[in-house]
Amino acid sequence: MAETDCIFCNIIAGEIPSFKLYEDARTYAMMDINPFNDGHCLVITKAHSINLLDADPADLAAVLPAAQIIARAIETALEPEGINIIQANGPAAGQTVYHYHSHIFPRRLNDGALLNWGHAPGDMGKIEEIYNKIMAELG
Ligand code: AMP
Ligand code: ZN
């Protein structure tokens, strides 16, 4: 169901312009208008959901094939040194638009994007404690 005050719902409805790259029954891809690198774009679900947590699994299943189509086109057209697929859920994760979207995020060596973190060894006892909490939810 489209939300009238949602910018991405309005884009899908054609009420706000976008640089549309691709669409299918469940997804819509467009250029991000605040790109970090050249070719930064978004794959969004046509159906409104806030993010991964409430999205329809069938819509999510359509997102990665669409992302692959876009990523392959970027790979050929722009020859980046890498491509991240990034998706934010909630403010601490950096989500600013509350309609599901995955970023297709072309990378350049030393582009300074703060997406990578170090691999310091974890505390196995703590990892197990957290694992048990998550497993209790998975049943
Ligand atoms: P996030 O911060 O992960 O929620 O990503 C939202 C993204 O949507 C940002 O990268 C914005 O630049 C992008 N964005 C916001 N409004 C528009 C728009 N009208 N057209 C294309 N991209 C947009
Ligand atoms: Zn929406």
Side-chain angles (χ1 to χ4, degrees):
M1 184 78 145
E3 302 266 322
T4 49
D5 60 352
C6 169
I7 189 157
F8 287 175
C9 284
N10 280 298
I11 286 172
I12 291 162
E15 282 153 18
I16 293 176
S18 71
F19 292 100
K20 181 172 102 175
L21 292 161
Y22 170 84
E23 74 176 311
D24 59 31
R26 291 181 181 271
T27 72
Y28 184 101
M30 63 183 167
M31 303 303 291
D32 193 305
I33 57 166
N34 305 297
F36 177 77
N37 273 335
D38 289 351
H40 180 178
C41 54
L42 303 170
V43 175
I44 71 180
T45 54
K46 283 191 170 171
H48 181 86
S49 66
I50 293 168
N51 58 36
L52 179 83
L53 301 175
D54 66 329
D56 181 335
D59 288 329
L60 296 177
V63 167
L64 264 185
Q68 184 187 46
I69 289 167
I70 302 304
R72 283 176 167 168
I74 288 171
E75 178 74 5
T76 306
L78 304 176
E79 300 182 339
E81 277 93 33
I83 301 173
N84 284 114
I85 308 297
I86 307 164
Q87 190 270 321
N89 303 285
Q95 187 174 9
T96 59
V97 175
Y98 286 82
H99 175 129
Y100 180 94
H101 54 280
S102 286
H103 295 259
I104 315 300
F105 199 83
R107 299 297 305 276
R108 295 289 178 190
L109 293 173
N110 305 313
D111 65 13
L114 298 175
L115 299 168
N116 304 327
W117 53 91
H119 287 186
D123 173 336
M124 289 304 149
K126 187 158 188 217
I127 291 170
E128 186 175 12
E129 183 188 321
I130 294 165
Y131 167 78
N132 287 333
K133 277 190 188 172
I134 298 169
M135 283 304 288
E137 294 300 324
L138 289 173

